[in-house]
Amino acid sequence: MLFLFFYLLQCCPKFYLFLHTMSNGILLIYTGGTIGMVQDYETGTLKPFNFKNLRKHIPELSRFNFPIDSISLENPIDSSNMQPSIWVEIATIIEEKYDEYNGFVILHGSDTMAYTASALSFILENLDKPVVLTGSQLPMGIIRTDGRENLITAIEIAHAHKKGKPIIQEVVIYFEYYLYRGNRAVKSNATLFEAFSSPNYPVLAEAGVNIQYYGVSTPAKNKGKLTVNKQICHDVLSLRLFPGISNHTIEHLLLTPGLRGLVLETFGSGNAPTNKEFIALLKEAIQKGIVVVNVSQCLKGGVVQGTYETSKMLEEIGVISAKDLTFEAAITKLMYLLGIYSTPSKVKTFFQKNLRGEMMVD
Ligand code: ASP
């Protein structure tokens, strides 16, 4: 028997792969969020608690037939306190534990989950394992919590394999029966359990009696080993246009010391006022080396610069179209690219490329 085992191990790569994929488990990375929160009896507000509290409420975790290990941020947070340094901390955990686990599940508050998912999709280059973010709208200790199902299914997704390979090989969000590409998702509902949507990309899977994968999980062009890009630039701003916005305010904003990137949130398919002063302010900023990208305020569809006179002007002065990117993906892509490249032209070139399935391809 033992002889047969070693013979298969030596002579049959598939057997080795089978053992390898069966023995490795899932690493849960707990960052905080409602899922693990408890009520502060003095103030009545919800605040993050430690991971032991969460485990206590999900005895099901011990019923999986593969190991589930967990690691927690030292101080779990409400995700409104998320910072790029914590994205890097999470990415570093994944980097260090990459070969030990089949997949990773990140427990995270829903408020900024789409930002973290987008950021991680850029930071983790050549990812070929699942990184599944999930959380809940109600804490685990509450009887009607959505957290239990979200977590259990997220773990199943992170462990799902076909022909020895993970079904999902990218950063995704699982929430209330749907699996979304992380950099395509937005938090679109503050109260319903179905808190997320993916306005410009189909869902990757749906959980019912079975988990139905729709075969649209295309990992980024894999060119080698996992690379973790840890330089994230903070010197960015966003500017949401509205009728009546004053050029004076815009001027002040663009004079922010050290500013390197601006996400301009425009109307419809990428339109903005045509008044000369506004255009001149943007032009001057671009000439100074600030990268300005144009994101639509509309959730669905995207920017097509040049359709209207009101977007042609932006195109002419060098504003970059973010096409159908979500705001979350646009700002994190900009922070990531500005962290890697010091020249605006490089940032502009790569911003227009589809790096991790975040953007439609022409
Ligand atoms: N404020 C919470 C957070 O984002 C909300 C949630 O977890 O859903 O951390």
Side-chain angles (χ1 to χ4, degrees), residues 32-37 46 48 77-81 108-113 135-138 175 187 190 195-196:
T34 299
I35 196 161
M37 284 188 186
L46 289 171
I77 54 164
D78 183 303
S79 77
S80 302
N81 286 318
H108 194 291
S110 63
D111 288 348
T112 62
M113 190 182 287
S136 69
Q137 295 278 61
L138 280 178
F175 223 90
K187 182 169 180 182
F196 288 87

Side-chain angles (χ1 to χ4, degrees), residues 29-84:
I29 304 173
Y30 177 58
T31 70
T34 299
I35 196 161
M37 284 188 186
V38 284
Q39 202 150 29
D40 182 324
Y41 288 110
E42 272 168 31
T43 62
T45 55
L46 289 171
K47 59 177 194 186
F49 200 66
N50 71 36
F51 191 68
K52 286 191 204 107
N53 183 55
L54 189 67
R55 273 207 167 228
K56 190 177 82 194
H57 290 290
I58 356 164
E60 292 90 341
L61 286 183
S62 53
R63 291 178 54 198
F64 282 98
N65 62 358
F66 48 84
I68 301 172
D69 295 335
S70 55
I71 190 166
S72 169
L73 292 188
E74 202 165 286
N75 298 307
I77 54 164
D78 183 303
S79 77
S80 302
N81 286 318
M82 186 47 74
Q83 284 292 331

